[in-house]
């Protein structure tokens, strides 16, 4: 009798987890299907709500410009910053736009920490106006400070 009870108990233990797994799998599958149907109607393309936005400081020329262009070629929209040469920055924006990406340029002198608050406000306004967003996804902190030798 002990042997029969052990076999029965073993059988119950072995079948219970499998049934439990099947139930969980079925529930998960149903949830995924319901979620997918709500989020993406049949035939609708699956894509994110907004493109990724990168902020690249010091990107009106040199390495910063090269990084900004590489990010744009990889499908990112850009906020670029410049210190003194607005025309160079606007030329970079035009190049990015020519690639089919959105871009804007903001003035930023990283050596003046008292201007960072106004930059943050200008950045928030630019994100809303140009990208219909309240955040950026990537930061490439390229801008540097020249110090006298």
């Amino acid at each position: 009798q002990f042997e029969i009870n052990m076999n029965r108990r073993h059988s119950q233990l072995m079948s219970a987890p499998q049934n439990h797994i099947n139930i969980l799998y079925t529930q998960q599958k149903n949830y995924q299907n319901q979620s997918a149907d709500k989020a993406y109607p049949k035939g609708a393309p699956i894509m994110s709500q907004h493109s990724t936005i990168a902020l690249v400081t010091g990107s009106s020329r040199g390495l910063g410009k090269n990084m900004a262009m590489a990010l744009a070629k990889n499908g990112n929209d850009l906020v670029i910053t410049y210190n003194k040469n607005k025309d160079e920055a606007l030329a970079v924006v035009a190049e990015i736009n020519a690639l089919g990406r959105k871009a804007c340029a903001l003035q930023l002198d990283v050596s003046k920490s008292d201007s960072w608050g106004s930059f943050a406000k200008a950045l928030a306004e630019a994100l809303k106006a140009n990208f219909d967003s309240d955040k950026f996804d990537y930061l490439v902190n390229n801008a540097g400070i020249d110090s006298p030798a």
Side-chain angles (χ1 to χ4, degrees):
Q1 191 177 27
F2 177 74
E3 192 172 316
I4 293 171
N5 286 342
M6 285 301 289
N7 285 338
R8 185 178 301 140
R9 179 75 178 140
H10 177 73
S11 174
Q12 289 171 342
L13 287 174
M14 293 307 289
S15 64
Q18 186 61 42
N19 290 339
H20 184 67
I21 290 169
N22 286 339
I23 291 168
L24 287 177
Y25 175 77
T26 303
Q27 288 173 346
Q28 180 182 13
K29 203 66 174 163
N30 289 340
Y31 175 75
Q32 288 172 342
N33 289 340
Q34 289 170 0
S35 298
D37 290 344
K38 289 178 186 173
Y40 304 107
K42 297 210 183 307
I46 299 174
M47 42 185 20
S48 66
Q49 292 295 325
H50 74 86
S51 298
T52 54
I53 303 167
L55 167 61
V56 183
T57 64
S59 49
S60 63
R61 59 189 177 94
L63 290 173
K65 176 184 175 182
N66 291 339
M67 288 184 272
M69 295 305 297
L71 286 164
K73 288 175 185 174
N74 282 306
N76 297 282
D77 292 331
L78 278 291
V79 176
I80 67 166
T81 71
Y82 64 94
N83 183 15
K84 296 177 183 166
N85 198 328
K86 185 176 183 176
D87 292 336
E88 279 184 344
L90 293 177
V92 174
V93 167
E95 287 183 55
I96 293 168
N97 289 335
L99 294 172
R101 305 308 318 163
K102 295 178 185 176
C104 67
L106 298 174
Q107 198 280 328
L108 173 64
D109 184 349
V110 295
S111 70
K112 296 181 180 173
S113 60
D114 60 338
S115 70
W116 296 349
S118 61
F119 173 75
K121 183 178 178 186
L123 175 61
E125 292 170 359
L127 287 168
K128 190 66 176 164
N130 294 290
F131 309 102
D132 194 30
S133 181
D134 59 354
K135 67 178 184 71
F136 59 91
D137 301 287
Y138 306 109
L139 169 64
V140 179
N141 198 10
N142 173 68
I145 300 172
D146 289 332
S147 60

